[in-house]
Amino acid sequence: MVAPSGIESGLIDLLAVFIIAGGVGVFVAKVGRFPYTIALLLAGLGVSILGLDIDIVLSHDLILLVLLPPLLFEGAATTDLGRFRENIVPVLALAVPGLVLSVVVLGWVGSYAFGYSLLLSLLLASMILPTDPVSVLALFEELGAPERLSVLVEGESLLNDGVGVVIFSTLFVLVTNSESISPTVIADAGIEIVTASLGGLLVGLASGYLIYRIMVNLDEHMTEIVLTLILAYGSFLLAEHYLHVSGVIATVTAGLFIGNRGAEYAMSPQTKISVFNTWETAAFLVNTLIFVLIGAKTPIAQMLDNWQIICIAIALTLAVRALVVYPITGLVNRYSNRTVPFSYQHVMVWGGLHASIPIALVLGLPPDFPRVTELRSMVFGVAAFSLVVQGLTMGRLLDRLGVVTRSESKELYELLLGRARAVDSALNAAERLHDKGELPGGVYEDFRGEYEREKDDLNAAISQLLMNNPDLRREELLVGERRVLKEEKSAIMDAMRSGVVSDDVGERLLEEVDLKLDRVDSGESTARENPEKEGYTEFWRVRADEYGLSSSND
């Protein structure tokens, strides 16, 4: 029998991974509410304990260059940019100064706890502390966490990896060259962090805008899927390996841009469905591969030999996480209209999972690096505890804190709304095909009649559901009102640019829209909830009344 070739052997190993994943999927479907990603990790750990060999090398380059870009891109593309902007202050505070402070504190304490030099201890801290978007995105989606909490935790995870990689790279050079910490070194590192972050932001914006401009004048969903694939990997490689800035931030920025502005202005309904379904599938497959491999490649023997320092590392990581999250969010709350609840802060501490990014960084250390075996054991140990213990208890913590996860009524609403949008898209598609002569008149009428009946039934079901669930109705009212007000703002700005209204009048109108947005962000609707009374008296009504014009405000 002919021995399998390299490619054939690789395919057999890959098939083995997905056979394991298929078995895990069946198990999760039968058991019920059990996080799929954590079940994959446990299955991988079982493979490692049993000594079964999966000959796929889990390397620094495989994680950072192959697996991470699509996960970052999909996570960013499906993030609501409006929600992200609303929470940008706490997200940035935790992702940048929060991470730097965490590294400094853990590095200083760790130098005493582990007996390492300060530089080596700081390097360990820079590897362990970045929270992992792969794990957080997967876990929060499965648990149905509240949207704002998801944005806070996921937003921090998406941003702090770029900062963490830059800090790690700087400290790695210092340790390798046996340099010491000085004010000059600290200043240079600060400049490098700012440069890499801003550079990644600019690369992401530029590449996202370039692909956006191409997609605006294109209506071919298969080609647009390829363009987004080019954008995800291209922005990362351009930033990281050619311009030497943050590839993580570049990919996240590109994903936010194309997933929001691109989806709104450059994608047809068919393209949106195709693009987002493709990326959802890609993220699922990559998640499957990465979690099984992390479990299967965990060095169990090394971790058992170093269990004491692993326990110390876990305790210090959690302590430092709490030491940074509570004071920073408390400080942000003092100067913000939208405070972060204390219950959310508890979840942000316990939900700071550390897995694929830390593992990628520690796997990038050369074999002759100082204390490399201990460093790998600690990083894998913290990752295993983070994913298994913190991940498995996250749902229970949310319940204990009274943090409401997605209810059955919310899930039903999403189902009805999703189907309603699909029906609208189908009606529009049928009309276009009929206008082009590609759909016979009789067939078109049958289609239209069927879909319009379903649309009426869906609208009735949605109305009844909202009537029976006033809290859900109010939440959706505020979400819809926020979107409508942003459209108002855009229309006023267009009118100012085209000269329809003067700048002073336009500024007054914009100020009023901003006031309405502030009220909506604080949870107060400006819409007319009482049919007898206007919810918000607009500026134009006051001026119209002054001129004796009836504004029908009563």
Side-chain angles (χ1 to χ4, degrees):
M1 183 176 177
V2 179
S5 65
I7 294 177
E8 186 178 352
S9 177
L11 286 174
I12 291 172
D13 288 318
L14 193 60
L15 181 61
V17 170
F18 287 110
I19 288 173
I20 293 170
V24 169
V26 172
F27 167 78
V28 170
K30 294 291 185 182
V31 169
R33 192 175 176 182
F34 191 93
Y36 174 70
T37 50
I38 295 173
L40 289 173
L41 178 76
L42 293 173
L45 285 171
V47 169
S48 179
I49 292 169
L50 292 172
L52 303 176
D53 185 31
I54 296 178
D55 195 21
I56 299 176
V57 179
L58 186 66
S59 66
H60 170 273
D61 288 346
L62 176 66
I63 294 176
L64 280 185
L65 302 183
V66 179
L67 303 179
L68 190 61
L71 292 171
L72 290 171
F73 186 84
E74 193 270 344
T78 53
T79 297
D80 187 311
L81 187 57
R83 295 272 189 181
F84 187 77
R85 278 199 300 255
E86 289 165 11
N87 296 283
I88 193 67
V89 174
V91 165
L92 279 179
L94 289 169
V96 185
L99 180 63
V100 173
L101 180 60
S102 299
V103 170
V104 170
V105 173
L106 182 56
W108 179 69
V109 174
S111 65
Y112 295 98
F114 307 120
Y116 293 170
S117 67
L118 180 58
L119 266 179
L120 188 60
S121 185
L122 287 169
L123 183 75
L124 171 64
S126 70
M127 285 189 291
I128 285 182
L129 286 171
T131 53
D132 182 23
V134 177
S135 314
V136 174
L137 288 167
L139 184 62
F140 271 58
E141 184 175 344
E142 289 171 16
L143 292 176
E147 188 171 2
R148 189 181 180 218
L149 178 58
S150 297
V151 169
L152 287 168
V153 179
E154 294 168 9
E156 180 197 356
S157 301
L158 287 168
L159 293 183
N160 73 4
D161 290 316
V163 180
V165 170
V166 174
I167 295 174
F168 169 82
S169 302
T170 303
L171 291 170
F172 177 78
V173 171
L174 293 177
V175 173
T176 304
N177 296 337
S178 300
E179 296 183 29
S180 58
I181 297 176
S182 65
T184 303
V185 169
I186 294 173
D188 290 344
I191 293 170
E192 187 172 349
I193 290 171
V194 172
T195 302
S197 301
L198 290 178
L201 177 68
L202 292 174
V203 170
L205 284 173
S207 54
Y209 183 76
L210 175 63
I211 297 298
Y212 164 77
R213 290 307 310 170
I214 296 172
M215 291 173 67
V216 163
N217 300 311
L218 186 68
D219 187 16
E220 172 38 57
H221 63 274
M222 298 304 290
T223 303
E224 291 180 70
I225 291 172
V226 174
L227 288 174
T228 57
L229 181 68
I230 293 169
L231 178 60
Y233 281 101
S235 58
F236 188 93
L237 292 171
L238 176 63
E240 193 77 28
H241 293 277
Y242 291 98
L243 301 178
H244 305 293
V245 294
S246 175
V248 172
I249 292 177
T251 302
V252 168
T253 304
L256 282 169
F257 187 92
I258 210 70
N260 287 271
R261 186 172 182 83
E264 187 172 356
Y265 298 109
M267 296 185 195
S268 66
Q270 174 62 45
T271 299
K272 285 183 191 177
I273 294 170
S274 299
V275 167
F276 285 103
N277 282 351
T278 298
W279 279 106
E280 183 181 8
T281 304
F284 175 79
L285 293 175
V286 172
N287 262 325
T288 297
L289 183 62
I290 199 168
F291 278 96
V292 172
L293 288 180
I294 286 175
K297 299 300 179 179
T298 295
I300 301 294
Q302 290 179 12
M303 289 171 62
L304 291 174
D305 291 339
N306 295 282
W307 69 270
Q308 291 173 312
I309 59 172
I310 290 173
C311 291
I312 295 171
I314 291 169
L316 289 179
T317 300
L318 287 172
V320 169
R321 175 73 180 165
L323 190 66
V324 168
V325 168
Y326 291 122
I328 286 182
T329 50
L331 185 64
V332 169
N333 284 346
R334 291 186 62 182
Y335 301 99
S336 174
N337 293 328
R338 299 193 72 206
T339 59
V340 179
F342 212 51
S343 59
Y344 280 24
Q345 295 177 41
H346 297 323
V347 177
M348 291 161 71
V349 170
W350 196 245
L353 307 184
H354 315 273
S356 60
I357 297 294
I359 287 172
L361 294 178
V362 79
L363 289 176
L365 298 177
D368 58 347
F369 196 80
R371 307 286 189 102
V372 66
T373 301
E374 291 181 3
L375 293 174
R376 286 190 179 182
S377 298
M378 280 191 282
V379 169
F380 270 93
V382 170
F385 178 88
S386 173
L387 290 171
V388 177
V389 178
Q390 293 174 240
L392 283 177
T393 56
M394 185 63 65
R396 208 169 301 161
L397 177 66
L398 293 174
D399 292 338
R400 209 115 196 243
L401 293 172
V403 177
V404 180
T405 54
R406 189 167 56 234
S407 62
E408 289 185 14
S409 58
K410 178 70 172 177
E411 289 185 9
L412 177 58
Y413 177 76
E414 291 177 2
L415 171 67
L416 296 175
L417 195 64
R419 182 56 192 167
R421 291 187 178 182
V423 168
D424 283 336
S425 179
L427 282 169
N428 292 334
E431 186 175 352
R432 285 198 307 272
L433 291 172
H434 176 63
D435 292 342
K436 291 178 182 178
E438 297 177 14
L439 197 64
V443 175
Y444 167 67
E445 292 299 330
D446 290 342
F447 270 129
R448 191 177 70 171
E450 175 64 27
Y451 279 117
E452 285 182 346
R453 282 191 296 273
E454 184 178 0
K455 185 176 179 179
D456 291 340
D457 292 342
L458 283 165
N459 288 336
I462 290 171
S463 297
Q464 185 176 351
L465 180 64
L466 292 178
M467 187 180 301
N468 295 339
N469 295 270
D471 290 341
L472 177 61
R473 182 184 183 280
R474 181 164 184 78
E475 179 186 343
E476 293 306 314
L477 173 66
L478 292 173
V479 170
E481 192 171 354
R482 186 181 292 109
R483 291 175 177 167
V484 170
L485 287 171
K486 287 179 180 178
E487 291 293 331
E488 279 190 33
K489 192 171 183 178
S490 177
I492 293 168
M493 293 171 70
D494 288 342
M496 291 169 66
R497 281 192 294 267
S498 61
V500 174
V501 299
S502 60
D503 287 348
D504 57 335
V505 173
E507 291 295 337
R508 181 66 184 86
L509 291 170
L510 287 175
E511 181 184 348
E512 185 170 68
V513 174
D514 286 334
L515 286 172
K516 286 186 174 185
L517 280 169
D518 287 340
R519 283 180 58 172
V520 170
D521 289 339
S522 64
E524 183 183 355
S525 174
T526 64
R528 182 185 300 198
E529 296 189 27
N530 182 351
E532 303 299 323
K533 186 177 181 181
E534 181 71 20
Y536 180 95
T537 302
E538 288 85 359
F539 173 65
W540 72 267
R541 295 186 186 277
V542 177
R543 294 301 302 272
D545 287 342
E546 289 175 357
Y547 277 85
L549 302 176
S550 174
S551 62
S552 301
N553 192 28
D554 299 327

